[in-house]
Amino acid sequence: MDKQHEGIVLETDGGVARIKASRHNDCESCGSCPGNNAIVLVARNPVGAQRGQRVVFEIQQISMLKSAVVVYAVPVLGTIAGAVVGWYFGTEMMGINDPFWLQMGGGSIACVLSLLYVRYYDRKARTRADMQPVITRIL
C-alpha cells in the first residue's frame, strides 16, 4: 500500500515538481531531514500541477522498505561478513591463534565497500521512476 501525503508545489520543471510537504509521524521519529516542520522533495508530475497548488502525492511503501534495507542492513551485514572472512582467513588459512587485526581489516574493508554500494544505490534510485514520489491529484 502506498502512503498519501499533501504538499504545495514550489516549482515545476518538465515532468517533475518540487513539493513542500509537512512532516508526518514517521518523519518526526526519524529526524534525518533538514528543516523544522517541512521537507522539500522532488516528485513526478503526471497530473500537470502548477506552482502554488496543493497536491496529494504518494510514496510507494516497497520503495521505502528497499531503501531502508540497503541503507541500514547492508553496511551492518557487510561488516559482519568481512569480520568473519578475516577470522576464517586468519585461523584456517594462516594458522593464527588470535586473528583480531585480520577481523578488523576484513570488517573495515567490507564496511567501506558496502557504503560505496549504498552511495551507488542512492544515485541510481534518484533516476528510477518507480522510486520517486508521484503526484496523484490536485486539491
Side-chain angles (χ1 to χ4, degrees):
M1 173 167 222
D2 298 338
K3 282 197 167 189
Q4 293 190 346
H5 309 282
E6 292 183 15
I8 298 173
V9 177
L10 297 176
E11 63 182 81
T12 60
D13 183 22
V16 297
R18 289 174 50 89
I19 301 171
K20 181 179 180 181
S22 61
R23 289 185 175 184
H24 47 82
N25 291 339
D26 294 342
C27 286
E28 289 173 359
S29 62
C30 173
S32 66
C33 299
N36 50 2
N37 288 326
I39 58 173
V40 177
L41 53 95
V42 177
R44 290 185 289 145
N45 187 9
V47 298
Q50 298 297 319
R51 183 176 184 215
Q53 291 181 322
R54 289 182 48 104
V55 295
V56 174
F57 63 94
E58 291 183 351
I59 300 174
Q60 293 183 358
Q61 289 288 72
I62 192 70
S63 299
M64 291 175 65
L65 182 61
K66 275 188 209 177
S67 297
V69 167
V70 168
V71 169
Y72 295 112
V74 168
V76 171
L77 295 175
T79 302
I80 292 169
V84 169
V85 168
W87 170 82
Y88 178 78
F89 183 74
T91 57
E92 301 297 324
M93 308 274 281
M94 297 179 70
I96 299 173
N97 290 335
D98 187 19
F100 174 75
W101 292 110
L102 290 175
Q103 286 177 300
M104 291 294 292
S108 298
I109 290 169
C111 183
V112 168
L113 291 176
S114 63
L115 291 175
L116 290 173
Y117 175 74
V118 168
R119 184 175 176 188
Y120 167 79
Y121 180 84
D122 179 53
R123 289 184 180 190
K124 288 294 183 184
R126 289 181 193 180
T127 60
R128 289 182 48 191
D130 64 329
M131 297 291 281
Q132 294 177 342
V134 179
I135 298 174
T136 56
R137 68 177 196 251
I138 300 170
L139 297 177

